[in-house]
Amino acid sequence: MPEHALDSPVTVKDLRRRIGDLSLQLRTSGTQKPAEPRFVDYDMIRLPHGDVVGRKKVIVMSGGCSVPTCTMCPFTNLNNYGIHGGTSRESLLDQVRHTLERTECEPSYEVLSLYNDGSFFAPREIPRNVQVEIARLVAAAGVKRLVVESLPQFVTERALTPFVQALGEVRLEIGIGLQSADALVRETLVNTRISQVSFERALMVMAGLGVDPKIYLMVKPPFLTDGEAVTDVVQSVDYLTGLGVQGMTLCPTRVSRNTVAWELWQAGQYVPPNLWTVVEAIRRVHERLAVRVACVNLRGTDFESVFPDACPVCADRVVDALMRFGETGEADDLPEDCACKPPLEVAGIDHAAVTARAARQLDVLERSGV
């Protein structure tokens, strides 16, 4: 029987509804967290033009994402999502002020990645006047580049213009989790609220204001195989380079509690990508672009995760190599093949087959009581 053969046809609309309902059902707000950054880290990062510089990464405690739909995202468990008065204007500003207070023992950095577990430019998450005040604080602190994240529908000329003006000489980079150029993968399997139209419009707004895009692509979203995942990355990189985008980061999917990805993993219906799948995806796009790799998705400590893996003999070596490559962008830093490297059959993305498979996997979850 072909993979997409079912007793009754499955529509993308029905599948999206089922995935969306399950994703929201799993959201939890938990208890009130203190008004202080939930994560602070320092590392080295490769900029789009190739320089490697110091970075401070901070995730402020906030009310979380106003569109928390993604099948792999656990952030609503970690912030004050759904809690009345979870984050005030002054709380956000106090956290930023504290973040920018440099100490003698602090590592040097010129890039500040300031995240809020959601969309920085969504006024429901960070009010407009607070956004601009944050820009003023950053401009006065000697930071050379600021990185924030947002869904593209909030990246408008109205929102960005006063923010960029308040930043002055500080270069702005906006991370957008496009995840995939394939509409089925992006809007249904990942279940993110990003359309091609809103994404390309946001790129135009950024280009007009001298803002750099930083686009995140998932490696093996839920419901895809490793072979399909490689194809998805290659096609997505082709799409983005065609739009002139140079800043891309691959995010190998990791699994955390209270997400659709976790429930699939628990039911034996999903595993994160094999580390060698990540390597293969990089090799296939490297001639066009030295993509960055999100090292936090390989050994992150910002939340408990089931990480991409390989055999115990080579896993640490492959991770070390991917982390090196994330800094250098040099293909020579990718790991040499190992005898335990599993076979990988790169496959196209057959929408009918993927949709049918996803429906069957959701059936398994429903039978298990999820």
Side-chain angles (χ1 to χ4, degrees):
M1 176 184 295
E3 186 177 15
H4 58 275
L6 290 176
D7 292 335
S8 58
V10 177
T11 68
V12 172
K13 182 178 179 180
D14 288 340
L15 182 62
R16 185 177 303 167
R17 176 189 54 77
R18 292 177 67 186
I19 293 174
D21 288 349
L22 177 57
S23 183
L24 291 175
Q25 171 191 323
L26 294 167
R27 298 300 172 203
T28 176
S29 56
T31 58
Q32 179 90 32
K33 282 83 171 179
E36 58 189 32
R38 72 168 184 83
F39 182 78
V40 178
D41 192 25
Y42 300 86
D43 63 4
M44 304 297 291
I45 187 167
R46 174 165 44 90
L47 299 179
H49 52 69
D51 288 352
V52 178
V53 298
R55 173 177 69 160
K56 183 175 185 178
K57 178 180 177 180
V58 177
I59 305 176
V60 297
M61 183 54 63
S62 71
C65 181
S66 53
V67 195
T69 61
C70 296
T71 52
M72 71 298 174
C73 180
F75 291 155
T76 55
N77 311 324
L78 306 174
N79 53 51
N80 287 326
Y81 169 77
I83 298 175
H84 180 67
T87 310
S88 67
R89 173 186 187 279
E90 281 308 312
S91 163
L92 288 168
L93 290 174
D94 284 345
Q95 290 180 72
V96 174
R97 291 189 189 102
H98 180 71
T99 291
L100 294 170
E101 292 174 356
R102 300 198 185 227
T103 62
E104 290 185 3
C105 60
E106 183 177 44
S108 63
Y109 66 91
E110 61 181 68
V111 176
L112 173 64
S113 292
L114 186 65
Y115 303 141
N116 66 306
D117 280 341
S119 291
F120 187 93
F121 293 107
R124 284 178 54 192
E125 299 178 35
I126 301 180
R128 295 265 190 248
N129 60 339
V130 177
Q131 296 172 17
V132 174
E133 183 60 26
I134 289 173
R136 293 193 182 105
L137 291 171
V138 172
V143 173
K144 293 185 179 180
R145 176 179 286 260
L146 174 67
V147 184
V148 299
E149 295 177 345
S150 181
L151 286 168
Q153 54 264 44
F154 303 115
V155 178
T156 64
E157 188 173 355
R158 178 188 174 192
L160 261 60
T161 299
F163 190 82
V164 170
Q165 290 174 345
L167 279 177
E169 297 300 313
V170 179
R171 187 76 177 184
L172 177 62
E173 186 174 4
I174 300 177
I176 296 179
L178 178 67
Q179 315 303 4
S180 171
D182 187 290
L184 174 69
V185 176
R186 180 181 67 251
E187 298 176 23
T188 301
L189 307 189
V190 178
N191 199 39
T192 186
R193 298 299 179 261
I194 297 179
S195 69
Q196 181 177 341
V197 170
S198 68
F199 175 71
E200 293 184 5
R201 181 201 52 76
L203 288 183
M204 291 179 62
V205 170
M206 285 188 277
L209 292 170
V211 176
D212 296 326
K214 177 181 182 179
I215 310 305
Y216 302 105
L217 297 174
M218 287 183 69
V219 182
K220 197 185 176 185
F223 308 107
L224 287 189
T225 66
D226 282 68
E228 291 164 343
V230 172
T231 297
D232 188 43
V233 169
V234 172
Q235 292 178 349
S236 296
V237 169
D238 286 346
Y239 166 69
L240 290 168
T241 53
L243 294 174
V245 175
Q246 293 298 306
M248 297 182 216
T249 298
L250 298 188
C251 300
T253 303
R254 52 179 172 156
V255 177
S256 185
R257 295 178 187 275
N258 294 101
T259 65
V260 174
W262 174 270
E263 298 300 332
L264 291 167
W265 177 73
Q266 286 280 85
Q269 298 299 303
Y270 176 78
V271 292
N274 190 283
L275 290 169
W276 289 109
T277 299
V278 181
V279 174
E280 181 64 25
I282 293 170
R283 285 176 173 159
R284 290 191 176 223
V285 301
H286 188 266
E287 287 187 3
R288 278 156 290 167
L289 187 75
V291 293
R292 291 174 284 184
V293 180
C295 296
V296 71
N297 286 54
L298 301 174
R299 281 182 179 161
T301 58
D302 53 335
F303 57 82
E304 180 186 2
S305 303
V306 178
F307 289 102
D309 206 354
C311 86
V313 174
C314 68
D316 285 346
R317 176 175 66 85
V318 178
V319 169
D320 288 342
L322 286 172
M323 294 180 76
R324 250 188 337 270
F325 172 82
E327 289 188 10
T328 68
E330 297 292 337
D332 289 345
D333 285 326
L334 290 171
E336 296 182 2
D337 286 353
C338 174
C340 61
K341 176 182 174 182
L344 176 66
E345 183 178 346
V346 176
I349 302 175
D350 180 328
H351 283 193
V354 172
T355 299
R357 180 197 311 140
R360 285 197 301 273
Q361 292 175 337
L362 290 174
D363 288 342
V364 172
L365 296 188
E366 290 174 2
R367 287 195 295 270
S368 66
V370 176

